[in-house]
Amino acid sequence: MTGPNVNVASYLSSQKKNKNKELAAEWATLEDLYNEKLWNELTIKLTRFVRHPALQKESILMQLYQNFIQTFEMKINPYGLVQILEVVVEHISDKKEAIEFLSKLKDKTKICDEAVWYIQVLQGNIYLTYLNDLDAAKKIIEELRDVLEEVGNVTPVHGKYYMLASQYYRRVGQHSDYYRCGLQFLGCSLDDFPRDQWAQQAFFLGLAALLGDGIYNIGELLAHPILVSLNGTQNEWLINLLKAFNTGDIKKFNEMKPTWAKIPDLLAQEVKLRQKISLLCLMEMTFKRSATQRNISFEDIAKETQLPLGEVELLIMKALAQDLVRGEIDQVAGVVNMSWVLPRVLDRKQIAGMATTLDTWMASISSMEKLMETRAAEILTN
């Protein structure tokens, strides 16, 4: 076998003879960058070039790697190398070979943590999507979770990781983890997420918000721009259902049952959904009341939640146990004195209500201030 430079020159020369003039020009540019040893510019160029429609075959991409990229892969940015070879790996038909290819690549890029994490995410995607090896995918997700949580800043890998994790949790039916990872992914990579997939992602996140254990901050999803993608679709009703949950509107929930009951997962969990919206209703009742009106009678709670009076105390105890509210139950008087409610992302109506509460509070302070001034004058004159 001849030396690497001879192989590269011969390979590039043959590629420049391509009948596609545009592609031939691209090959010529790559040759110039390679000969001038402009590794950074070559990396950037290759990142786009490997995605050219004419190259999307396993044999063509592997030839590109073996005859060209492999000869200088240790000279370019490790993370950039992974970005380039991600396309090559996607086209390897034998996915076990793809895993092995990535394992070898990991050894070549070990000087860059982000590149290694990126490779692990790619392996996780293959295990999850192609090999159906949920245990292997879970192991990678758990290993990376601990590593990425310790990183002081958000890296380009975070978004890719959260997408992998959310897909895994959706597969195994862990709604809460899917919801949290899904939102974290959108926080990192919304701009890179294809617009034509927004509506589907919004629908899945909406269902997860309703079905997930411990998910009471639904306003976080309602405030996210991705939810707007459901407008004008057959799933637009989900926005109204999420709003009903966010405000604990049980009447609206019941009115919408003919619609949401068409979703098997929601219908199967009707009892759980009613428990959840009842807790959110209690939270909303506490939130709306001023600090001087936090003694809520069991009768009022039963009326708002549409629960039998005998089940109200259990509802309150569940809310206290999950730290959704804080307070004390007076069983004899049949009231609960609320002192705190879990902070949540608020919608415009809830913010307006809070503003009114603050205005009332400020008026009370002003009244007390004037009273103290008046009484102080009496004390001084006496």
Side-chain angles (χ1 to χ4, degrees):
M1 180 178 292
T2 52
N5 290 332
V6 176
N7 285 338
V8 170
S10 175
Y11 174 72
L12 293 176
S13 178
S14 64
Q15 297 304 318
K16 287 191 297 181
K17 296 176 183 178
N18 196 294
K19 294 180 180 180
N20 184 327
K21 292 183 178 180
E22 177 199 351
L23 195 58
E26 294 279 354
W27 282 109
T29 302
L30 289 174
E31 183 180 42
D32 291 340
L33 294 173
Y34 175 79
N35 289 335
E36 294 176 22
K37 294 181 172 55
L38 298 174
W39 306 125
N40 184 54
E41 291 81 354
L42 182 58
T43 303
I44 296 171
K45 182 69 177 176
L46 277 170
T47 303
R48 296 192 299 268
F49 181 70
V50 291
R51 289 167 172 78
H52 194 287
L55 303 178
Q56 303 311 300
K57 290 183 179 179
E58 180 180 2
S59 58
I60 294 175
L61 288 169
M62 285 305 297
Q63 287 174 16
L64 172 61
Y65 172 67
Q66 293 169 349
N67 295 316
F68 185 50
I69 299 173
Q70 193 174 29
T71 63
F72 57 84
E73 61 184 353
M74 302 303 291
K75 299 177 182 177
I76 64 176
N77 179 279
Y79 191 86
L81 176 63
V82 180
Q83 285 182 304
I84 294 167
L85 296 184
E86 176 182 7
V87 181
V88 178
V89 171
E90 286 174 357
H91 287 80
I92 297 177
S93 55
D94 187 331
K95 295 307 175 183
K96 290 184 178 180
E97 286 186 10
I99 292 289
E100 183 62 28
F101 182 93
L102 287 169
S103 296
K104 292 177 180 178
L105 181 60
K106 195 186 299 183
D107 292 333
K108 298 174 184 177
T109 58
K110 58 186 177 183
I111 61 170
C112 175
D113 288 338
E114 290 182 13
V116 173
W117 302 336
Y118 192 174
I119 291 169
Q120 287 180 277
V121 170
L122 294 177
Q123 289 179 317
N125 280 321
I126 294 173
Y127 282 127
L128 183 64
T129 307
Y130 298 101
L131 300 179
N132 199 33
D133 190 339
L134 297 180
D135 290 337
K138 179 182 179 181
K139 182 179 179 181
I140 289 174
I141 289 168
E142 291 179 345
E143 288 177 356
L144 279 178
R145 179 183 60 209
D146 296 336
V147 172
L148 294 178
E149 283 180 355
E150 295 177 0
V151 178
N153 59 304
V154 177
T155 71
V157 182
H158 276 76
K160 302 176 191 300
Y161 166 76
Y162 290 130
M163 173 53 83
L164 167 64
S166 65
Q167 289 177 334
Y168 168 79
Y169 291 129
R170 186 165 69 86
R171 281 277 296 274
V172 298
Q174 293 180 219
H175 302 297
S176 299
D177 290 324
Y178 168 72
Y179 178 75
R180 294 187 183 97
C181 288
L183 281 183
Q184 287 174 309
F185 164 74
L186 295 178
C188 297
S189 306
L190 181 61
D191 294 338
D192 299 328
F193 194 53
R195 283 269 179 175
D196 59 355
Q197 297 181 29
W198 279 32
Q200 183 186 55
Q201 184 75 356
F203 179 69
F204 287 149
L205 283 172
L207 294 184
L210 298 174
L211 296 170
D213 294 329
I215 304 295
Y216 296 97
N217 192 4
I218 297 174
E220 190 174 7
L221 177 59
L222 285 170
H224 202 286
I226 196 172
L227 210 61
V228 179
S229 64
L230 290 177
N231 289 332
T233 70
Q234 62 180 0
N235 294 320
E236 186 175 2
W237 58 268
L238 183 58
I239 299 176
N240 293 326
L241 185 59
L242 288 168
K243 288 179 179 178
F245 267 77
N246 192 49
T247 57
D249 190 342
I250 295 176
K251 181 182 178 181
K252 184 70 172 178
F253 172 71
N254 289 331
E255 290 173 354
M256 291 188 66
K257 183 175 179 179
T259 302
W260 60 256
K262 295 177 183 178
I263 306 298
D265 286 349
L266 295 182
L267 183 60
Q269 298 293 330
E270 181 176 359
V271 173
K272 181 178 178 180
L273 291 174
R274 289 191 179 279
Q275 291 175 347
K276 186 169 193 171
I277 198 169
S278 296
L279 288 168
L280 285 162
C281 180
L282 179 60
M283 292 172 68
E284 189 71 7
M285 289 179 69
T286 306
F287 173 75
K288 285 181 176 178
R289 293 174 180 247
S290 66
T292 58
Q293 298 177 327
R294 290 285 178 85
N295 285 331
I296 310 175
S297 69
F298 286 10
E299 288 82 1
D300 287 345
I301 296 173
K303 182 179 178 181
E304 288 288 331
T305 60
Q306 299 182 19
L307 287 173
L309 187 60
E311 295 181 16
V312 169
E313 186 175 357
L314 180 59
L315 175 70
I316 298 169
M317 292 173 66
K318 286 181 179 178
L320 292 170
Q322 295 185 55
D323 205 25
L324 302 178
V325 294
R326 294 174 188 167
E328 295 180 353
I329 300 174
D330 187 338
Q331 293 175 310
V332 177
V335 300
V336 58
N337 180 24
M338 297 297 193
S339 58
W340 178 88
V341 62
L342 181 72
R344 296 179 292 158
V345 175
L346 307 179
D347 60 23
R348 291 179 183 274
K349 187 176 180 181
Q350 289 170 319
I351 292 173
M354 185 171 66
T356 301
T357 301
L358 288 173
D359 289 340
T360 304
W361 183 48
M362 291 300 294
S364 299
I365 292 175
S366 297
S367 176
M368 180 61 69
E369 184 181 12
K370 291 178 183 178
L371 179 62
M372 291 178 66
E373 288 176 354
T374 302
R375 294 295 174 86
E378 294 177 2
I379 294 171
L380 290 173
T381 53
N382 290 333

